[in-house]
């Protein structure tokens, strides 16, 4: 990528220049593609029809949640979390790039669509709130992603390859979210209160995760089965964290659930305005 | 005091120039002098003194033989204090340095650039972690060092008090700021203190990668549209001089240089490294198609090096004093993150106690696990940003 740029840099400033060396810190990191800047699946055919729409929906989920997590950079409660949250955000961005590239040009799709054209679930666009809100959002989403990607990887459909790579990453994301749910739920009185408020507040955004999404190549019964398993696993984690399973609605008129149709919550437009501003200010430029 | 600024006599004494007012090392050398003069007779001549003299001789011999000093080795108090100061400052610079770049993550203009920038900011947090760990081998705790940062009693690099105003600044920071940092840090890979030297090997590898990416970002802008080219030039114009200041005050006014060089913590003088950096940057700027904002910049055939214009040391002093463009903002954000995260750290500590598990055993995943700080730090004392007394005057030669 940049191999013959930076004349003199390698000779004069360092004993160990070069992209290969730069990967040392995350040698075992599946998200490593982000460093080389090459995430696009070369040779994989572009999808059309329902699979392309599904790729867009899953890609938008990952893109938007990655963006939210990246907003934590420099604000995390402890340095280890600067590393962990950025790590998860990078994994998600890598997934987003693979998925969006299956549907079209990743940058056009990310930067030039308006709010009503985004297909992500509303859960991932929810603002970070305090650390408990971020963790509750991660818990709900990563358990869902692990269930989904495990099935997609095994199913041999159009997303099998992407899912096989992502499933290793989301297992780590889920573990991270579970560990923190336990620490915060079963920590201090204050952290219990915050974690409880967070799981309750986001509950109504979770039904949407299991709306059938055409084009994934899954069995029609899969969403219902995943939802049952998701509820079971969430109940188990919340129970161990001394938290109650929320009892508000997850489906229906008073629960959110229209992100897949391009109906989003109010903070989302502001998030997009920030994300797209620079790209839109220089039409046609390359970066 | 050195005449030309290039020779470095061992133990010339701590100069007290404009930058060398009252630093920890000033205190330390004062107390060293006192302890030498004011020692009671029996201590000066008894078996304890013999033992001490033996340790000192062994230490000096190890330094002379270019051996590494390790955490359990005896070392002079001043050597330990100097290293703590420098390593803490270095660690602080990594974590404060996340801010000007993180400022652009949410606005990065392509997904590829966004991924690169996120990875870079993550690396900086990782470097902060290595360096705090390395500093902890000297008997200080991360919590203690963070408290000193938050209360303005320890510094971070002056460079991070400048604002990142456009996307091109991300490139300029990579090319110039990381470039200057590498020029400073590569010799630290041979530093006499083992844990610091080893941390630097890892840090330098990653920094070199970042620098390349910054250069490549600027090149894309420079070769892009007219507006992009102008953006790149503007960023280089704003970051050039602050980058030269990263090497610290001129040799004649550098409070700690001579001693650090005698101890082989430092291997080259501030001015020497600064010249080396200028010589590296000039051809790179040319191949970028950008100019450096210094009309006095010219090749000096005789010295085989570039001449360059005078640095505005008044500005440097003001930034160190806390009066730079972003000092207040940087420290306030750092403190806010720490204070707003207190309940999270307390929860992790309480949970670990309840489970009877050390925090480090938690989250046992193969990847960087979420390990909370084992100790909950005390309330952060309020102090004016960057105005705490007793700061070192070395500036930013990290």
């Amino acid at each position: 990528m940049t191999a013959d740029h930076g004349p003199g840099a390698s000779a004069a400033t360092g004993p160990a220049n070069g992209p290969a060396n730069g990967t040392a810190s995350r040698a075992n990191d599946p998200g490593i593609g982000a460093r080389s800047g090459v995430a696009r699946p070369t040779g994989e055919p572009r999808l059309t029809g329902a699979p392309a729409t599904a790729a867009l929906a899953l890609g938008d989920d990952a893109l938007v949640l990655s963006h939210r997590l990246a907003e934590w950079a420099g604000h995390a409660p402890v340095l280890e979390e600067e590393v962990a949250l950025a790590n998860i955000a990078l994994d998600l961005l890598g997934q987003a790039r693979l998925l969006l590239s299956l549907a079209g040009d990743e940058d056009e799709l990310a930067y030039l669509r308006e709010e009503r054209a985004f297909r992500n679930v509303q859960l991932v666009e929810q603002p970070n709130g305090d650390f408990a809100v971020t963790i509750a959002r991660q818990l709900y989403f990563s358990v869902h992603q692990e269930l989904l990607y495990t099935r997609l990887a095994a199913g041999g459909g159009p997303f099998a390859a992407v899912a096989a790579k992502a499933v290793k990453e989301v297992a780590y994301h889920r573990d991270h979210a579970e560990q923190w749910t336990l620490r915060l739920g079963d920590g201090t009185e204050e952290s219990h209160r915050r974690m409880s408020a967070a799981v309750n507040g986001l509950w109504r955004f979770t039904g949407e995760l299991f709306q059938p999404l055409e084009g994934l190549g899954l069995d029609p019964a899969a969403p219902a089965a995943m939802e049952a398993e998701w509820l079971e696993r969430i109940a188990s984690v919340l129970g161990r964290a001394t938290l109650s399973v929320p009892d508000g609605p997850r489906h229906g008129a008073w629960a959110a659930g229209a992100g897949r149709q391009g109906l989003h919550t109010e903070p989302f437009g502001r998030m997009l305005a920030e994300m797209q501003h620079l790209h839109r200010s220089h039409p046609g430029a390359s970066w | 005091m050195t005449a030309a600024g290039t020779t470095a006599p061992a133990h010339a004494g701590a100069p007290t120039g404009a930058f060398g007012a009252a630093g920890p090392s000033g205190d330390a050398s004062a107390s060293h002098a006192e302890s030498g003069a004011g020692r009671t007779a029996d201590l000066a001549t008894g078996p304890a003194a013999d033992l001490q003299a033996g340790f000192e001789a062994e230490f000096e011999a190890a330094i002379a033989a270019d051996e590494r000093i390790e955490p359990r080795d005896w070392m002079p108090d001043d050597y330990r204090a100097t290293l703590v100061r420098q390593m803490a400052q270095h660690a602080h610079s990594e974590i404060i340095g996340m801010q000007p770049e993180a400022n652009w993550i949410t606005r990065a203009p392509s997904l590829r650039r966004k991924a690169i920038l996120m990875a870079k900011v993550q690396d900086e947090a990782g470097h902060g972690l290595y360096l705090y760990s390395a500093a902890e081998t000297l008997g200080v705790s991360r919590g203690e060092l963070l408290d000193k940062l938050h209360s303005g009693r320890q510094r971070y690099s002056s460079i991070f008090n400048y604002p990142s105003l456009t996307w091109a600044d991300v490139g300029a920071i990579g090319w110039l700021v990381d470039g200057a940092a590498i020029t400073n840090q590569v010799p630290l890979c041979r530093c006499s203190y083992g844990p610091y030297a080893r941390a630097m090997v890892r840090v330098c590898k990653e920094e070199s990668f970042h620098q390349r990416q910054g250069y490549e970002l600027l090149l894309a802008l420079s070769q892009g549209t007219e507006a992009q080219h102008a953006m790149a030039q503007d960023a280089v114009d704003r970051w050039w001089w602050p980058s030269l200041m990263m090497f610290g005050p001129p040799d004649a006014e550098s409070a700690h240089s001579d001693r650090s060089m005698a101890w082989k913590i430092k291997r080259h003088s501030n001015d020497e490294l600064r010249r080396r950096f200028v010589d590296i940057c000039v051809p790179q700027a040319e191949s970028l198609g950008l100019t450096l904002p210094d009309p006095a910049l010219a090749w000096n055939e005789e010295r085989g090096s570039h001449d360059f214009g005078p640095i505005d040391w008044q500005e440097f002093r003001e930034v160190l004093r806390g009066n730079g463009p972003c000092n207040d903002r940087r420290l306030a954000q750092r403190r806010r993150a720490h204070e707003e995260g207190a309940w999270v750290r307390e929860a992790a500590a309480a949970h670990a106690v309840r489970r009877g598990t050390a925090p480090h055993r938690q989250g046992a995943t193969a990847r960087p696990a979420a390990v909370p700080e084992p100790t909950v730090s005390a309330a952060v004392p309020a102090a004016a940003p960057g105005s705490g007394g007793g700061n070192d005057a070395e500036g930013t030669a990290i």
Side-chain angles (χ1 to χ4, degrees):
Chain A
M1 164 183 71
T2 64
D4 39 15
H5 295 141
S10 52
T13 63
N17 287 280
N21 295 309
T23 60
S25 67
R26 272 187 303 281
N28 301 317
D29 185 346
I32 204 158
R35 294 189 64 88
S36 63
V38 185
R40 193 183 299 273
T42 47
E44 282 201 39
R46 284 273 163 86
L47 300 174
T48 53
T53 311
L56 202 60
L58 299 185
D60 285 351
D61 285 350
L63 177 71
V64 171
L65 185 55
S66 167
H67 187 96
R68 284 298 189 207
L69 289 175
E71 291 173 351
W72 272 103
H75 298 272
V78 56
L79 267 181
E80 283 81 355
E81 282 306 295
E82 293 286 359
V83 177
L85 294 174
N87 207 333
I88 296 168
L90 264 172
D91 286 346
L92 288 167
L93 184 54
Q95 293 170 17
R97 297 182 64 194
L98 286 170
L99 288 158
L100 295 180
S101 297
L102 291 175
D105 178 272
E106 61 174 31
D107 284 339
E108 269 177 40
L109 289 170
Y111 291 100
L112 299 174
R113 273 181 301 158
E114 294 191 354
E115 190 181 340
R116 292 281 282 108
F118 273 80
R119 292 288 177 261
N120 55 285
V121 292
Q122 292 183 357
L123 176 67
V124 296
E125 74 201 33
Q126 295 312 303
N128 288 335
D130 66 10
F131 191 66
V133 173
T134 291
I135 291 301
R137 191 181 60 198
Q138 283 305 112
L139 178 71
Y140 290 159
F141 188 73
S142 61
V143 171
H144 147 74
Q145 254 199 330
E146 192 176 17
L147 293 171
L148 176 64
Y149 283 174
T150 303
R151 280 172 169 76
L152 290 176
F159 299 102
V162 177
K165 176 180 183 294
V167 79
K168 291 176 230 141
E169 298 167 353
V170 300
Y172 163 73
H173 305 173
R174 191 258 310 139
D175 185 64
H176 173 264
E178 273 188 16
Q179 297 292 338
W180 273 110
T181 302
L182 296 178
R183 287 190 195 108
L184 298 181
D186 189 23
T188 62
E189 209 174 302
E190 166 82 349
S191 70
H192 180 88
R193 185 185 62 74
R194 288 181 187 249
M195 196 63 212
S196 182
V199 294
N200 285 320
L202 292 173
W203 187 246
R204 69 198 194 87
F205 296 104
T206 59
E208 189 182 7
L209 296 169
F210 305 100
Q211 286 179 356
L213 188 55
E214 262 185 77
L216 289 178
L218 285 178
D219 187 276
M226 279 192 283
E227 181 161 21
E229 205 176 324
W230 182 88
L231 280 167
E232 198 179 303
R233 291 178 62 171
I234 295 295
S236 158
V237 177
L238 294 182
R240 282 186 286 141
T242 73
L243 295 161
S244 310
V245 177
D247 57 5
R250 301 174 56 242
H251 293 282
W254 296 102
R260 294 278 188 245
Q261 286 77 54
L263 290 171
H264 294 278
T265 55
E266 287 181 346
F268 183 57
R270 199 163 278 107
M271 192 206 100
L272 279 192
E274 181 173 348
M275 186 176 102
Q276 296 182 338
H277 162 261
L278 179 59
H279 186 97
R280 284 182 182 269
S281 300
H282 296 263
S286 40
W287 301 93
Chain B
M1 201 163 296
T2 63
T6 47
T7 53
H11 291 298
T16 48
F19 302 97
S25 81
D27 301 344
S29 45
S31 66
H32 188 71
E34 270 170 38
S35 66
R39 224 174 244 168
T40 55
D42 47 338
L43 269 181
T45 54
D50 291 346
L51 199 60
Q52 174 84 1
F55 283 150
E56 274 174 26
E58 210 174 309
F59 174 82
E60 294 296 342
I63 295 284
D66 267 335
E67 284 169 19
R68 290 274 162 84
I69 307 298
E70 296 298 339
R72 299 183 66 180
D73 294 340
W74 183 90
M75 64 186 84
D77 291 345
D78 291 355
Y79 178 83
R80 185 183 300 272
T82 296
L83 278 168
V84 167
R85 178 183 56 78
Q86 184 172 337
M87 290 163 74
Q89 179 174 300
H90 196 160
H92 298 334
S93 299
E94 295 285 353
I95 60 169
I96 296 284
M98 294 166 71
Q99 290 185 30
E101 293 176 288
N103 182 39
W104 280 93
I105 290 178
T106 53
R107 292 175 288 172
S110 76
L111 297 186
R112 173 174 167 263
R113 293 290 179 196
K114 187 173 183 167
I116 290 170
L117 185 56
M118 279 165 56
K120 180 179 179 190
V121 173
Q122 184 195 24
D123 279 349
E124 282 157 5
H127 296 170
L129 281 172
Y130 304 160
L131 286 160
Y132 285 121
S133 300
E136 285 183 334
T137 63
L138 292 163
V140 291
S141 74
R142 194 210 301 186
E144 194 181 314
L145 298 177
L146 282 174
D147 281 348
K148 285 187 174 158
L149 167 65
H150 297 156
S151 60
R153 282 174 292 155
Q154 282 181 342
R155 289 187 189 286
Y156 54 87
S157 177
S158 63
I159 194 77
F160 301 120
N161 292 312
Y162 289 86
S164 61
L165 300 176
T166 72
W167 171 250
D169 290 34
V170 172
I173 291 171
W175 176 45
L176 294 173
V177 175
D178 292 332
I182 295 164
T183 308
N184 260 326
Q185 289 167 13
V186 164
L188 286 174
C189 297
R190 295 185 294 125
C191 162
S192 59
Y193 188 58
Y196 194 24
R198 288 188 288 273
M200 282 303 98
V201 172
R202 292 181 72 173
V203 168
C204 283
K205 283 181 184 174
E206 294 176 2
E207 295 288 3
S208 306
F209 189 60
H210 300 160
Q211 193 215 8
R212 230 163 235 274
Q213 288 171 327
Y215 179 93
E216 194 253 348
L217 190 164
L218 279 182
L219 188 67
L221 293 179
S222 179
Q223 297 177 343
T225 66
E226 209 173 300
Q228 285 177 309
H229 182 90
M231 192 192 280
Q233 184 61 58
D234 169 62
V236 168
D237 289 348
R238 284 182 289 106
W239 286 92
W240 173 248
W241 291 108
S243 299
L244 294 191
M245 294 178 195
M246 285 176 70
F247 295 90
D251 292 345
E253 298 174 59
S254 177
H256 310 302
S257 278
D258 292 342
R259 207 175 40 166
S260 287
M261 287 177 69
W263 277 332
K264 296 185 180 169
I265 295 173
K266 220 172 151 166
R267 297 282 181 157
H268 309 278
S269 78
N270 294 353
D271 287 335
E272 188 184 343
L273 291 171
R274 189 166 13 241
R275 271 195 302 276
R276 188 181 292 184
F277 177 67
V278 171
D279 288 337
I280 291 166
C281 287
V282 169
Q284 292 183 353
E286 270 169 34
S287 50
L288 275 172
L290 298 171
T291 59
L292 295 171
D294 180 1
L297 197 59
W299 177 251
N300 182 325
E301 193 66 56
E302 207 175 306
R303 281 197 305 110
S305 179
H306 287 86
D307 290 330
F308 52 94
I311 288 169
D312 183 351
W313 293 116
Q314 184 55 32
E315 174 179 319
F316 179 68
R317 279 187 289 265
E318 284 301 315
V319 175
L320 280 189
R321 234 172 247 152
N323 299 325
C326 297
N327 298 57
D328 294 354
R329 191 184 169 77
R330 299 286 185 247
L331 213 47
Q333 179 179 326
R334 184 54 229 155
R335 278 193 200 133
R336 193 165 57 243
H338 191 73
E339 284 163 15
E340 288 178 358
W343 69 272
V344 176
R345 297 189 299 276
E346 284 160 15
H351 180 77
V353 167
R354 186 163 309 136
R355 292 298 162 102
T357 51
H360 290 280
R361 300 279 173 244
Q362 306 248 339
T365 55
R367 316 246 320 271
V371 181
E373 276 182 328
T375 52
V376 175
S377 59
V380 178
S387 64
N391 278 309
D392 73 276
E394 185 69 8
T396 54
I398 50 172

